[in-house]
Amino acid sequence: MRLFVALTPPAVAVEELVAATGGVRAEHPELRWTPPEQWHLTLAFLGEVGDREREDLVPRLGRAATRHPPLTLSFASAGRFGDRVLWTRVRGDVDPLRRLAASVQAAARRARLAVETRPYRPHLTLARTREATDLRPVVEALEGFSGQGWEAAELHLVRSHLGAGPGGGARHEPIEGWPLTGRPQGSPETSAGWPR
Ligand code: 2AM
């Protein structure tokens, strides 16, 4: 099955982003806007994963979740990958987010899955283009957007059903979830905090 690992923003952050992007969505029906109920932050795209690899991967992801703390993130403004992908920026605990993504990718590699070696770029994809499109005006229109902070407290393994979603896109089905229960980096080993 086709899988990816992601963080899912809460309804309040999704609603805020829906409101912030309403104008540009209406003005640019030529773009393929991702459905808000499927918005997510991809940490690792795994592609087709066999049953045996998935069984190996699942406990590894569970262990990774115990080593990372919940993150406070927010969305702001927009950016693009060339003339193909429009996204909103992720701000806040971006360094811990990068460490979490690296850990998830390492878990996938240890489960013998091929993961992308491109550097991780924190983003949430808002739209894709049908053909090469100048996305600069849309990016500019979203420049002033600055969302509230929200907590990412759970890691999700998500199945993507190609062609089964709204408008012929993919349908996303979370199949496993783990709370992020690690300590923030630099926090003491014990809660007592006595000098040694
Ligand atoms: P993105 O939108 O955050 O870039 C499920 O397909 C998710 O995996 C997509 O939303 C996409 O996340 C991400 N992804 C990353 N690399 C991909 C690839 N090569 N093919 C399809 N999806 C990919």
Side-chain angles (χ1 to χ4, degrees):
M1 59 180 75
R2 191 177 165 93
L3 296 176
F4 63 97
V5 182
L7 298 176
T8 312
V12 52
V14 170
E15 279 157 24
E16 189 182 46
L17 198 49
V18 167
T21 54
V24 285
R25 288 150 73 88
E27 275 167 38
H28 294 276
E30 76 281 8
L31 301 181
R32 284 166 45 224
W33 294 93
T34 50
E37 61 276 15
Q38 296 205 350
W39 279 345
H40 61 270
L41 267 68
T42 307
L43 297 174
F45 176 71
L46 308 174
E48 277 300 322
V49 177
D51 289 348
R52 197 177 303 166
E53 285 80 13
R54 192 184 70 243
E55 279 162 24
D56 187 3
L57 172 72
V58 161
R60 291 182 190 280
L61 289 176
R63 288 194 292 276
T66 66
R67 296 194 297 265
H68 295 269
L71 311 174
T72 302
L73 303 172
S74 64
F75 297 122
S77 66
R80 63 197 169 96
F81 293 143
D83 46 20
R84 287 284 176 191
V85 181
L86 173 76
W87 38 266
T88 184
R89 285 176 202 286
V90 179
R91 297 213 169 123
D93 289 337
V94 172
D95 286 336
L97 175 63
R98 287 181 194 284
R99 289 195 284 273
L100 175 61
S103 192
V104 164
Q105 293 181 6
R109 276 190 206 102
R110 284 193 290 268
R112 293 179 298 281
L113 297 168
V115 232
E116 297 227 30
T117 49
R118 283 191 293 191
Y120 174 65
R121 303 265 310 261
H123 70 279
L124 178 141
T125 295
L126 292 172
R128 297 188 176 83
T129 61
R130 292 191 171 86
E131 49 199 63
T133 304
D134 182 7
L135 291 169
R136 284 173 298 185
V138 196
V139 169
E140 253 168 56
L142 292 171
E143 221 161 49
F145 167 60
S146 180
Q148 291 177 36
W150 52 273
E151 190 178 66
E154 203 167 310
L155 189 65
H156 290 139
L157 179 62
V158 187
R159 181 172 181 185
S160 171
H161 300 265
L162 285 183
R171 182 169 68 82
H172 295 164
E173 175 197 8
I175 58 168
E176 300 271 357
W178 302 269
L180 297 169
T181 56
R183 290 168 199 278
Q185 212 176 52
S187 73
E189 287 283 310
T190 63
S191 54
W194 294 105
R196 287 166 205 205

